[in-house]
Amino acid sequence: MKKWCKAVLFVLPLLCMVAAVNWYVDSYAYLRVSYDQISSQMVEHSMNVAGLQESDFNDRKLLCACLKRQDAPKELIVAGSSRVMNFDHTMFGTDSFYNTALSESTIYDLLAVAGILDCGGGQLPDRMIIGVDAFLFNTSHNNDRWKELETYVDYMENRIADAANVKARPDSGSAVYGNLQDAGVQPPDTGRNHSKWLSLDYFRYNVTLLRPHKRFAVAYTQDWETEQYLKHYDGSIAYQKSLRDVDAGEVEELTRQSMEEHVVYRLTDYAQIDGESMALLDGLIGYLQAQGVEVMLYLPPYSPMMYNYIESEEQFHIIFQVEKEIRQMAARRGTALYGSYDPAGCGLEMTDLYDIYHVKTEKMPDTFYPVNLP
């Protein structure tokens, strides 16, 4: 009996320490705060969220949690990469709006967004703006972040394939379902995970964050801009003050460094457009239109310096081919096309950028000009 007591007295403090560290740091938002809690504040109380970027948050899990909580379809949805993240509801004159843009987005992230909305049962919007970056069709720079939402990608691929009577991606599953419940598949878990209280793997990672004083921590506000990076309740973002106040000279210097290194974001090793990715976008547009969604395509511009560099380097001329194909797709599908990779059409200047690739919020409406209306 004494031995058992000694063992308990020895182990109990260790377990308490593991639990305390996991709760305090909670790097993946499993214990102290969850993505479901954050989405509740955003969707039900129209609160904006600060501290997410400092917490290295998972934007795909947060998006999933927010869209699952919507109780009615939105009039307008924006989808794409970080280059459309600062499109907000005030720019389009409607409160029935949500920005689903994701960092380091791929073609599969676009499918995932549509899948979440479609399988929710009547959640597809009246209109959807799709930001089409040239890198969406460069498989050399795809990443696996979309696999957080792979369930919805599989669902959407099968819906598109069934509608077009073509074969889906081999590993996307064989059946076509009306919703995830019919498929017997559970959506990604965005709530608390109590198994992490005493998880040693979670503890080992959380301990590494104690020294740099990093932990998952958020604050809610009704302010539209703060000192920090801010996630708005409508899904859009406001960049941190340091970026909002950036000097154009700094942006120009960063651009020059990128040019000297012969780097354009996700456009290196880009010999040809990936036909499968282009076909997926075309299929997605066709499917959405068949469901009564008005699709609008948007080409986000490069800065004048970067675009001039792209024009001077033959290895990056593929973006001209991408723009040509998107224009042809828009005409064939009868979708509106806005913007261009060429900054000349919107009068973009270097003072209009936060960094090399992201246009300032106040300039974004100018970049959304009609090129082709159906």
PDB file of all heavy atoms in Angstrom, residues 63 67 70 72-80 92 94 96-101 113-114 117 123-131 234 293-294 296:
ATOM      1  N   LEU A  63     -12.120  28.524 -40.607  1.00  0.00           N
ATOM      2  CA  LEU A  63     -13.097  28.695 -41.684  1.00  0.00           C
ATOM      3  C   LEU A  63     -14.184  27.635 -41.606  1.00  0.00           C
ATOM      4  O   LEU A  63     -15.377  27.937 -41.709  1.00  0.00           O
ATOM      5  CB  LEU A  63     -12.394  28.618 -43.043  1.00  0.00           C
ATOM      6  CG  LEU A  63     -13.339  28.593 -44.246  1.00  0.00           C
ATOM      7  CD1 LEU A  63     -14.044  29.921 -44.408  1.00  0.00           C
ATOM      8  CD2 LEU A  63     -12.605  28.209 -45.523  1.00  0.00           C
ATOM      9  N   LEU A  67     -18.139  28.480 -41.163  1.00  0.00           N
ATOM     10  CA  LEU A  67     -19.137  28.156 -42.192  1.00  0.00           C
ATOM     11  C   LEU A  67     -20.161  27.146 -41.686  1.00  0.00           C
ATOM     12  O   LEU A  67     -21.339  27.211 -42.056  1.00  0.00           O
ATOM     13  CB  LEU A  67     -18.444  27.630 -43.451  1.00  0.00           C
ATOM     14  CG  LEU A  67     -17.610  28.646 -44.238  1.00  0.00           C
ATOM     15  CD1 LEU A  67     -17.116  28.034 -45.539  1.00  0.00           C
ATOM     16  CD2 LEU A  67     -18.395  29.913 -44.522  1.00  0.00           C
ATOM     17  N   GLN A  70     -23.028  28.969 -39.921  1.00  0.00           N
ATOM     18  CA  GLN A  70     -23.944  29.850 -40.642  1.00  0.00           C
ATOM     19  C   GLN A  70     -25.342  29.244 -40.643  1.00  0.00           C
ATOM     20  O   GLN A  70     -25.507  28.050 -40.910  1.00  0.00           O
ATOM     21  CB  GLN A  70     -23.480  30.044 -42.094  1.00  0.00           C
ATOM     22  CG  GLN A  70     -22.055  30.543 -42.244  1.00  0.00           C
ATOM     23  CD  GLN A  70     -21.868  32.000 -41.850  1.00  0.00           C
ATOM     24  OE1 GLN A  70     -22.828  32.717 -41.633  1.00  0.00           O
ATOM     25  NE2 GLN A  70     -20.620  32.432 -41.766  1.00  0.00           N
ATOM     26  N   ALA A  72     -27.894  30.511 -42.563  1.00  0.00           N
ATOM     27  CA  ALA A  72     -28.563  30.805 -43.825  1.00  0.00           C
ATOM     28  C   ALA A  72     -27.505  31.096 -44.879  1.00  0.00           C
ATOM     29  O   ALA A  72     -26.402  31.537 -44.555  1.00  0.00           O
ATOM     30  CB  ALA A  72     -29.498  32.009 -43.665  1.00  0.00           C
ATOM     31  N   PRO A  73     -27.818  30.861 -46.153  1.00  0.00           N
ATOM     32  CA  PRO A  73     -26.832  31.154 -47.201  1.00  0.00           C
ATOM     33  C   PRO A  73     -26.548  32.638 -47.303  1.00  0.00           C
ATOM     34  O   PRO A  73     -27.426  33.473 -47.056  1.00  0.00           O
ATOM     35  CB  PRO A  73     -27.502  30.624 -48.477  1.00  0.00           C
ATOM     36  CG  PRO A  73     -28.962  30.604 -48.167  1.00  0.00           C
ATOM     37  CD  PRO A  73     -29.063  30.292 -46.702  1.00  0.00           C
ATOM     38  N   LYS A  74     -25.317  32.970 -47.669  1.00  0.00           N
ATOM     39  CA  LYS A  74     -24.923  34.363 -47.846  1.00  0.00           C
ATOM     40  C   LYS A  74     -25.269  34.823 -49.263  1.00  0.00           C
ATOM     41  O   LYS A  74     -25.313  34.034 -50.199  1.00  0.00           O
ATOM     42  CB  LYS A  74     -23.425  34.534 -47.600  1.00  0.00           C
ATOM     43  CG  LYS A  74     -22.972  34.201 -46.181  1.00  0.00           C
ATOM     44  CD  LYS A  74     -23.567  35.144 -45.172  1.00  0.00           C
ATOM     45  CE  LYS A  74     -23.027  34.882 -43.779  1.00  0.00           C
ATOM     46  NZ  LYS A  74     -23.674  35.742 -42.757  1.00  0.00           N
ATOM     47  N   GLU A  75     -25.466  36.125 -49.376  1.00  0.00           N
ATOM     48  CA  GLU A  75     -25.691  36.693 -50.700  1.00  0.00           C
ATOM     49  C   GLU A  75     -24.409  36.628 -51.519  1.00  0.00           C
ATOM     50  O   GLU A  75     -24.425  36.348 -52.715  1.00  0.00           O
ATOM     51  CB  GLU A  75     -26.168  38.137 -50.569  1.00  0.00           C
ATOM     52  CG  GLU A  75     -26.403  38.829 -51.906  1.00  0.00           C
ATOM     53  CD  GLU A  75     -26.772  40.297 -51.749  1.00  0.00           C
ATOM     54  OE1 GLU A  75     -27.387  40.650 -50.727  1.00  0.00           O
ATOM     55  OE2 GLU A  75     -26.425  41.084 -52.652  1.00  0.00           O
ATOM     56  N   LEU A  76     -23.274  36.886 -50.859  1.00  0.00           N
ATOM     57  CA  LEU A  76     -21.993  36.946 -51.563  1.00  0.00           C
ATOM     58  C   LEU A  76     -20.907  36.256 -50.768  1.00  0.00           C
ATOM     59  O   LEU A  76     -20.745  36.505 -49.573  1.00  0.00           O
ATOM     60  CB  LEU A  76     -21.607  38.409 -51.817  1.00  0.00           C
ATOM     61  CG  LEU A  76     -20.255  38.673 -52.492  1.00  0.00           C
ATOM     62  CD1 LEU A  76     -20.217  38.066 -53.887  1.00  0.00           C
ATOM     63  CD2 LEU A  76     -19.986  40.184 -52.571  1.00  0.00           C
ATOM     64  N   ILE A  77     -20.150  35.405 -51.440  1.00  0.00           N
ATOM     65  CA  ILE A  77     -18.986  34.725 -50.869  1.00  0.00           C
ATOM     66  C   ILE A  77     -17.765  35.072 -51.714  1.00  0.00           C
ATOM     67  O   ILE A  77     -17.826  35.072 -52.947  1.00  0.00           O
ATOM     68  CB  ILE A  77     -19.178  33.189 -50.860  1.00  0.00           C
ATOM     69  CG1 ILE A  77     -20.248  32.767 -49.857  1.00  0.00           C
ATOM     70  CG2 ILE A  77     -17.848  32.475 -50.583  1.00  0.00           C
ATOM     71  CD1 ILE A  77     -19.815  32.771 -48.413  1.00  0.00           C
ATOM     72  N   VAL A  78     -16.652  35.367 -51.052  1.00  0.00           N
ATOM     73  CA  VAL A  78     -15.363  35.557 -51.730  1.00  0.00           C
ATOM     74  C   VAL A  78     -14.480  34.361 -51.402  1.00  0.00           C
ATOM     75  O   VAL A  78     -14.401  33.941 -50.244  1.00  0.00           O
ATOM     76  CB  VAL A  78     -14.675  36.861 -51.278  1.00  0.00           C
ATOM     77  CG1 VAL A  78     -13.251  36.942 -51.829  1.00  0.00           C
ATOM     78  CG2 VAL A  78     -15.478  38.069 -51.728  1.00  0.00           C
ATOM     79  N   ALA A  79     -13.824  33.800 -52.416  1.00  0.00           N
ATOM     80  CA  ALA A  79     -12.921  32.668 -52.207  1.00  0.00           C
ATOM     81  C   ALA A  79     -11.610  32.947 -52.935  1.00  0.00           C
ATOM     82  O   ALA A  79     -11.588  33.633 -53.957  1.00  0.00           O
ATOM     83  CB  ALA A  79     -13.550  31.378 -52.727  1.00  0.00           C
ATOM     84  N   GLY A  80     -10.529  32.417 -52.393  1.00  0.00           N
ATOM     85  CA  GLY A  80      -9.232  32.600 -53.038  1.00  0.00           C
ATOM     86  C   GLY A  80      -8.104  32.547 -52.042  1.00  0.00           C
ATOM     87  O   GLY A  80      -8.208  31.937 -50.980  1.00  0.00           O
ATOM     88  N   PHE A  92     -18.886  45.848 -50.965  1.00  0.00           N
ATOM     89  CA  PHE A  92     -19.901  45.320 -51.868  1.00  0.00           C
ATOM     90  C   PHE A  92     -21.320  45.694 -51.449  1.00  0.00           C
ATOM     91  O   PHE A  92     -22.289  45.262 -52.057  1.00  0.00           O
ATOM     92  CB  PHE A  92     -19.761  43.801 -51.965  1.00  0.00           C
ATOM     93  CG  PHE A  92     -18.420  43.365 -52.495  1.00  0.00           C
ATOM     94  CD1 PHE A  92     -17.399  42.999 -51.626  1.00  0.00           C
ATOM     95  CD2 PHE A  92     -18.161  43.352 -53.854  1.00  0.00           C
ATOM     96  CE1 PHE A  92     -16.150  42.617 -52.104  1.00  0.00           C
ATOM     97  CE2 PHE A  92     -16.923  42.967 -54.341  1.00  0.00           C
ATOM     98  CZ  PHE A  92     -15.908  42.605 -53.469  1.00  0.00           C
ATOM     99  N   THR A  94     -23.236  44.925 -48.889  1.00  0.00           N
ATOM    100  CA  THR A  94     -24.137  43.917 -48.330  1.00  0.00           C
ATOM    101  C   THR A  94     -23.565  43.353 -47.040  1.00  0.00           C
ATOM    102  O   THR A  94     -22.355  43.100 -46.956  1.00  0.00           O
ATOM    103  CB  THR A  94     -24.400  42.768 -49.323  1.00  0.00           C
ATOM    104  OG1 THR A  94     -25.221  41.773 -48.702  1.00  0.00           O
ATOM    105  CG2 THR A  94     -23.101  42.117 -49.797  1.00  0.00           C
ATOM    106  N   SER A  96     -24.755  40.519 -45.968  1.00  0.00           N
ATOM    107  CA  SER A  96     -24.858  39.077 -46.195  1.00  0.00           C
ATOM    108  C   SER A  96     -23.651  38.640 -47.020  1.00  0.00           C
ATOM    109  O   SER A  96     -23.725  38.428 -48.233  1.00  0.00           O
ATOM    110  CB  SER A  96     -26.164  38.752 -46.930  1.00  0.00           C
ATOM    111  OG  SER A  96     -26.301  37.362 -47.110  1.00  0.00           O
ATOM    112  N   PHE A  97     -22.528  38.491 -46.343  1.00  0.00           N
ATOM    113  CA  PHE A  97     -21.222  38.366 -47.013  1.00  0.00           C
ATOM    114  C   PHE A  97     -20.297  37.530 -46.143  1.00  0.00           C
ATOM    115  O   PHE A  97     -20.347  37.604 -44.916  1.00  0.00           O
ATOM    116  CB  PHE A  97     -20.638  39.772 -47.199  1.00  0.00           C
ATOM    117  CG  PHE A  97     -19.195  39.807 -47.661  1.00  0.00           C
ATOM    118  CD1 PHE A  97     -18.902  39.963 -49.000  1.00  0.00           C
ATOM    119  CD2 PHE A  97     -18.141  39.713 -46.760  1.00  0.00           C
ATOM    120  CE1 PHE A  97     -17.576  40.032 -49.433  1.00  0.00           C
ATOM    121  CE2 PHE A  97     -16.828  39.766 -47.168  1.00  0.00           C
ATOM    122  CZ  PHE A  97     -16.543  39.924 -48.520  1.00  0.00           C
ATOM    123  N   TYR A  98     -19.442  36.739 -46.787  1.00  0.00           N
ATOM    124  CA  TYR A  98     -18.368  36.079 -46.029  1.00  0.00           C
ATOM    125  C   TYR A  98     -17.166  35.874 -46.940  1.00  0.00           C
ATOM    126  O   TYR A  98     -17.296  35.452 -48.101  1.00  0.00           O
ATOM    127  CB  TYR A  98     -18.806  34.730 -45.450  1.00  0.00           C
ATOM    128  CG  TYR A  98     -17.920  34.328 -44.291  1.00  0.00           C
ATOM    129  CD1 TYR A  98     -18.149  34.842 -43.021  1.00  0.00           C
ATOM    130  CD2 TYR A  98     -16.818  33.494 -44.475  1.00  0.00           C
ATOM    131  CE1 TYR A  98     -17.308  34.527 -41.954  1.00  0.00           C
ATOM    132  CE2 TYR A  98     -15.975  33.181 -43.413  1.00  0.00           C
ATOM    133  CZ  TYR A  98     -16.228  33.696 -42.162  1.00  0.00           C
ATOM    134  OH  TYR A  98     -15.394  33.398 -41.120  1.00  0.00           O
ATOM    135  N   ASN A  99     -15.991  36.193 -46.399  1.00  0.00           N
ATOM    136  CA  ASN A  99     -14.732  36.024 -47.118  1.00  0.00           C
ATOM    137  C   ASN A  99     -14.082  34.726 -46.651  1.00  0.00           C
ATOM    138  O   ASN A  99     -13.691  34.599 -45.486  1.00  0.00           O
ATOM    139  CB  ASN A  99     -13.804  37.218 -46.855  1.00  0.00           C
ATOM    140  CG  ASN A  99     -12.582  37.210 -47.755  1.00  0.00           C
ATOM    141  OD1 ASN A  99     -12.004  36.164 -48.035  1.00  0.00           O
ATOM    142  ND2 ASN A  99     -12.170  38.385 -48.208  1.00  0.00           N
ATOM    143  N   THR A 100     -13.966  33.766 -47.563  1.00  0.00           N
ATOM    144  CA  THR A 100     -13.433  32.446 -47.221  1.00  0.00           C
ATOM    145  C   THR A 100     -11.980  32.260 -47.663  1.00  0.00           C
ATOM    146  O   THR A 100     -11.488  31.136 -47.697  1.00  0.00           O
ATOM    147  CB  THR A 100     -14.279  31.338 -47.889  1.00  0.00           C
ATOM    148  OG1 THR A 100     -14.112  31.419 -49.325  1.00  0.00           O
ATOM    149  CG2 THR A 100     -15.752  31.481 -47.544  1.00  0.00           C
ATOM    150  N   ALA A 101     -11.292  33.355 -48.011  1.00  0.00           N
ATOM    151  CA  ALA A 101      -9.919  33.255 -48.520  1.00  0.00           C
ATOM    152  C   ALA A 101      -9.011  32.555 -47.515  1.00  0.00           C
ATOM    153  O   ALA A 101      -9.146  32.719 -46.304  1.00  0.00           O
ATOM    154  CB  ALA A 101      -9.378  34.639 -48.837  1.00  0.00           C
ATOM    155  N   VAL A 113     -13.926  24.911 -50.040  1.00  0.00           N
ATOM    156  CA  VAL A 113     -14.877  25.962 -49.655  1.00  0.00           C
ATOM    157  C   VAL A 113     -16.251  25.664 -50.251  1.00  0.00           C
ATOM    158  O   VAL A 113     -17.279  25.712 -49.558  1.00  0.00           O
ATOM    159  CB  VAL A 113     -14.370  27.342 -50.116  1.00  0.00           C
ATOM    160  CG1 VAL A 113     -15.480  28.385 -50.003  1.00  0.00           C
ATOM    161  CG2 VAL A 113     -13.168  27.759 -49.290  1.00  0.00           C
ATOM    162  N   ALA A 114     -16.276  25.357 -51.547  1.00  0.00           N
ATOM    163  CA  ALA A 114     -17.549  25.040 -52.195  1.00  0.00           C
ATOM    164  C   ALA A 114     -18.172  23.792 -51.573  1.00  0.00           C
ATOM    165  O   ALA A 114     -19.391  23.716 -51.398  1.00  0.00           O
ATOM    166  CB  ALA A 114     -17.338  24.836 -53.698  1.00  0.00           C
ATOM    167  N   LEU A 117     -19.894  24.540 -48.215  1.00  0.00           N
ATOM    168  CA  LEU A 117     -21.160  25.241 -48.429  1.00  0.00           C
ATOM    169  C   LEU A 117     -22.218  24.327 -49.034  1.00  0.00           C
ATOM    170  O   LEU A 117     -23.377  24.333 -48.626  1.00  0.00           O
ATOM    171  CB  LEU A 117     -20.933  26.446 -49.348  1.00  0.00           C
ATOM    172  CG  LEU A 117     -20.030  27.563 -48.799  1.00  0.00           C
ATOM    173  CD1 LEU A 117     -19.646  28.527 -49.912  1.00  0.00           C
ATOM    174  CD2 LEU A 117     -20.715  28.297 -47.663  1.00  0.00           C
ATOM    175  N   GLN A 123     -26.572  26.057 -48.558  1.00  0.00           N
ATOM    176  CA  GLN A 123     -25.733  27.151 -48.061  1.00  0.00           C
ATOM    177  C   GLN A 123     -24.933  27.837 -49.172  1.00  0.00           C
ATOM    178  O   GLN A 123     -24.177  28.765 -48.892  1.00  0.00           O
ATOM    179  CB  GLN A 123     -24.767  26.625 -46.994  1.00  0.00           C
ATOM    180  CG  GLN A 123     -25.440  26.095 -45.744  1.00  0.00           C
ATOM    181  CD  GLN A 123     -26.143  27.190 -44.958  1.00  0.00           C
ATOM    182  OE1 GLN A 123     -25.626  28.286 -44.808  1.00  0.00           O
ATOM    183  NE2 GLN A 123     -27.343  26.910 -44.484  1.00  0.00           N
ATOM    184  N   LEU A 124     -25.085  27.376 -50.410  1.00  0.00           N
ATOM    185  CA  LEU A 124     -24.385  28.053 -51.493  1.00  0.00           C
ATOM    186  C   LEU A 124     -24.937  29.472 -51.647  1.00  0.00           C
ATOM    187  O   LEU A 124     -26.139  29.700 -51.502  1.00  0.00           O
ATOM    188  CB  LEU A 124     -24.553  27.275 -52.805  1.00  0.00           C
ATOM    189  CG  LEU A 124     -23.736  25.989 -52.930  1.00  0.00           C
ATOM    190  CD1 LEU A 124     -24.135  25.233 -54.185  1.00  0.00           C
ATOM    191  CD2 LEU A 124     -22.235  26.279 -52.943  1.00  0.00           C
ATOM    192  N   PRO A 125     -24.065  30.438 -51.948  1.00  0.00           N
ATOM    193  CA  PRO A 125     -24.498  31.846 -52.009  1.00  0.00           C
ATOM    194  C   PRO A 125     -25.205  32.175 -53.322  1.00  0.00           C
ATOM    195  O   PRO A 125     -25.192  31.385 -54.270  1.00  0.00           O
ATOM    196  CB  PRO A 125     -23.175  32.598 -51.903  1.00  0.00           C
ATOM    197  CG  PRO A 125     -22.207  31.694 -52.609  1.00  0.00           C
ATOM    198  CD  PRO A 125     -22.618  30.291 -52.231  1.00  0.00           C
ATOM    199  N   ASP A 126     -25.775  33.365 -53.373  1.00  0.00           N
ATOM    200  CA  ASP A 126     -26.331  33.858 -54.638  1.00  0.00           C
ATOM    201  C   ASP A 126     -25.208  34.163 -55.618  1.00  0.00           C
ATOM    202  O   ASP A 126     -25.327  33.897 -56.810  1.00  0.00           O
ATOM    203  CB  ASP A 126     -27.143  35.141 -54.399  1.00  0.00           C
ATOM    204  CG  ASP A 126     -28.364  34.899 -53.534  1.00  0.00           C
ATOM    205  OD1 ASP A 126     -28.885  33.768 -53.534  1.00  0.00           O
ATOM    206  OD2 ASP A 126     -28.794  35.845 -52.846  1.00  0.00           O
ATOM    207  N   ARG A 127     -24.117  34.740 -55.093  1.00  0.00           N
ATOM    208  CA  ARG A 127     -22.989  35.116 -55.929  1.00  0.00           C
ATOM    209  C   ARG A 127     -21.691  34.678 -55.259  1.00  0.00           C
ATOM    210  O   ARG A 127     -21.588  34.694 -54.041  1.00  0.00           O
ATOM    211  CB  ARG A 127     -22.955  36.635 -56.150  1.00  0.00           C
ATOM    212  CG  ARG A 127     -24.157  37.213 -56.882  1.00  0.00           C
ATOM    213  CD  ARG A 127     -24.051  38.726 -56.994  1.00  0.00           C
ATOM    214  NE  ARG A 127     -24.196  39.366 -55.695  1.00  0.00           N
ATOM    215  CZ  ARG A 127     -23.667  40.541 -55.365  1.00  0.00           C
ATOM    216  NH1 ARG A 127     -22.900  41.187 -56.228  1.00  0.00           N
ATOM    217  NH2 ARG A 127     -23.859  41.064 -54.175  1.00  0.00           N
ATOM    218  N   MET A 128     -20.695  34.316 -56.078  1.00  0.00           N
ATOM    219  CA  MET A 128     -19.387  33.953 -55.538  1.00  0.00           C
ATOM    220  C   MET A 128     -18.291  34.573 -56.394  1.00  0.00           C
ATOM    221  O   MET A 128     -18.275  34.410 -57.616  1.00  0.00           O
ATOM    222  CB  MET A 128     -19.199  32.435 -55.485  1.00  0.00           C
ATOM    223  CG  MET A 128     -17.827  32.026 -54.924  1.00  0.00           C
ATOM    224  SD  MET A 128     -17.575  30.229 -54.805  1.00  0.00           S
ATOM    225  CE  MET A 128     -18.564  29.838 -53.374  1.00  0.00           C
ATOM    226  N   ILE A 129     -17.407  35.306 -55.719  1.00  0.00           N
ATOM    227  CA  ILE A 129     -16.212  35.849 -56.370  1.00  0.00           C
ATOM    228  C   ILE A 129     -15.059  34.885 -56.118  1.00  0.00           C
ATOM    229  O   ILE A 129     -14.757  34.561 -54.976  1.00  0.00           O
ATOM    230  CB  ILE A 129     -15.859  37.237 -55.807  1.00  0.00           C
ATOM    231  CG1 ILE A 129     -16.972  38.240 -56.111  1.00  0.00           C
ATOM    232  CG2 ILE A 129     -14.527  37.730 -56.381  1.00  0.00           C
ATOM    233  CD1 ILE A 129     -16.808  39.570 -55.389  1.00  0.00           C
ATOM    234  N   ILE A 130     -14.426  34.439 -57.186  1.00  0.00           N
ATOM    235  CA  ILE A 130     -13.287  33.518 -57.064  1.00  0.00           C
ATOM    236  C   ILE A 130     -12.027  34.240 -57.516  1.00  0.00           C
ATOM    237  O   ILE A 130     -11.904  34.635 -58.681  1.00  0.00           O
ATOM    238  CB  ILE A 130     -13.494  32.247 -57.905  1.00  0.00           C
ATOM    239  CG1 ILE A 130     -14.741  31.490 -57.433  1.00  0.00           C
ATOM    240  CG2 ILE A 130     -12.261  31.343 -57.814  1.00  0.00           C
ATOM    241  CD1 ILE A 130     -15.060  30.260 -58.249  1.00  0.00           C
ATOM    242  N   GLY A 131     -11.097  34.438 -56.588  1.00  0.00           N
ATOM    243  CA  GLY A 131      -9.804  35.012 -56.931  1.00  0.00           C
ATOM    244  C   GLY A 131      -8.953  33.960 -57.614  1.00  0.00           C
ATOM    245  O   GLY A 131      -8.700  32.902 -57.039  1.00  0.00           O
ATOM    246  N   ASP A 234     -16.769  39.005 -40.724  1.00  0.00           N
ATOM    247  CA  ASP A 234     -17.222  38.642 -42.070  1.00  0.00           C
ATOM    248  C   ASP A 234     -16.168  37.849 -42.832  1.00  0.00           C
ATOM    249  O   ASP A 234     -16.289  37.643 -44.042  1.00  0.00           O
ATOM    250  CB  ASP A 234     -17.630  39.900 -42.855  1.00  0.00           C
ATOM    251  CG  ASP A 234     -16.457  40.803 -43.219  1.00  0.00           C
ATOM    252  OD1 ASP A 234     -15.307  40.501 -42.821  1.00  0.00           O
ATOM    253  OD2 ASP A 234     -16.672  41.819 -43.901  1.00  0.00           O
ATOM    254  N   VAL A 293     -25.703  29.616 -58.740  1.00  0.00           N
ATOM    255  CA  VAL A 293     -24.757  30.607 -58.209  1.00  0.00           C
ATOM    256  C   VAL A 293     -24.211  31.457 -59.353  1.00  0.00           C
ATOM    257  O   VAL A 293     -23.762  30.923 -60.369  1.00  0.00           O
ATOM    258  CB  VAL A 293     -23.591  29.929 -57.465  1.00  0.00           C
ATOM    259  CG1 VAL A 293     -22.610  30.976 -56.940  1.00  0.00           C
ATOM    260  CG2 VAL A 293     -24.105  29.052 -56.338  1.00  0.00           C
ATOM    261  N   GLU A 294     -24.233  32.756 -59.196  1.00  0.00           N
ATOM    262  CA  GLU A 294     -23.610  33.658 -60.163  1.00  0.00           C
ATOM    263  C   GLU A 294     -22.124  33.749 -59.831  1.00  0.00           C
ATOM    264  O   GLU A 294     -21.748  34.263 -58.771  1.00  0.00           O
ATOM    265  CB  GLU A 294     -24.243  35.048 -60.108  1.00  0.00           C
ATOM    266  CG  GLU A 294     -23.609  36.039 -61.074  1.00  0.00           C
ATOM    267  CD  GLU A 294     -24.091  37.466 -60.871  1.00  0.00           C
ATOM    268  OE1 GLU A 294     -25.116  37.660 -60.187  1.00  0.00           O
ATOM    269  OE2 GLU A 294     -23.422  38.393 -61.374  1.00  0.00           O
ATOM    270  N   MET A 296     -18.260  35.007 -60.379  1.00  0.00           N
ATOM    271  CA  MET A 296     -17.447  36.110 -60.892  1.00  0.00           C
ATOM    272  C   MET A 296     -15.982  35.768 -60.646  1.00  0.00           C
ATOM    273  O   MET A 296     -15.619  35.365 -59.545  1.00  0.00           O
ATOM    274  CB  MET A 296     -17.807  37.418 -60.187  1.00  0.00           C
ATOM    275  CG  MET A 296     -19.225  37.884 -60.445  1.00  0.00           C
ATOM    276  SD  MET A 296     -19.738  39.209 -59.304  1.00  0.00           S
ATOM    277  CE  MET A 296     -20.178  38.228 -57.871  1.00  0.00           C
TER     278      MET A 296
END
